[in-house]
Amino acid sequence: TGDQGAASATGDHSVAISVGFEGRAMARAGSAIVLCRRADDGSITHIRAGVAGRDGVKADTWYSLTADGEFVEVDA
């Protein structure tokens, strides 16, 4: 939950949740990620969830959210 926090879901049917400022998450196929985007003052602007391996969310790939609340791949 801290600033620039990272979460990974490596088990079956797991969920990786990163809700801090500039967080990132990744999951294996069939597991989920939940990400939150925050404004400079810390207020929540977007929150989004997805399942790795579905709807364009790649498995074993780090994601963050853009300013528009869309998933974007990021470096580890």
Side-chain angles (χ1 to χ4, degrees):
T1 60
D3 291 353
Q4 293 91 32
S8 60
T10 58
D12 291 333
H13 316 293
S14 300
V15 179
I17 300 171
S18 183
V19 294
F21 186 73
E22 296 182 351
R24 64 180 186 210
M26 75 171 218
R28 67 185 292 177
S31 290
I33 61 173
V34 178
L35 288 163
C36 180
R37 175 79 180 202
R38 295 181 178 270
D40 290 340
D41 67 0
S43 63
I44 296 170
T45 59
H46 300 283
I47 189 161
R48 185 161 182 188
V51 177
R54 296 185 196 165
D55 302 318
V57 178
K58 297 177 187 175
D60 304 313
T61 302
W62 286 104
Y63 285 94
S64 187
L65 290 185
T66 67
D68 294 326
E70 300 296 322
F71 287 127
V72 63
E73 293 181 34
V74 295
D75 294 329

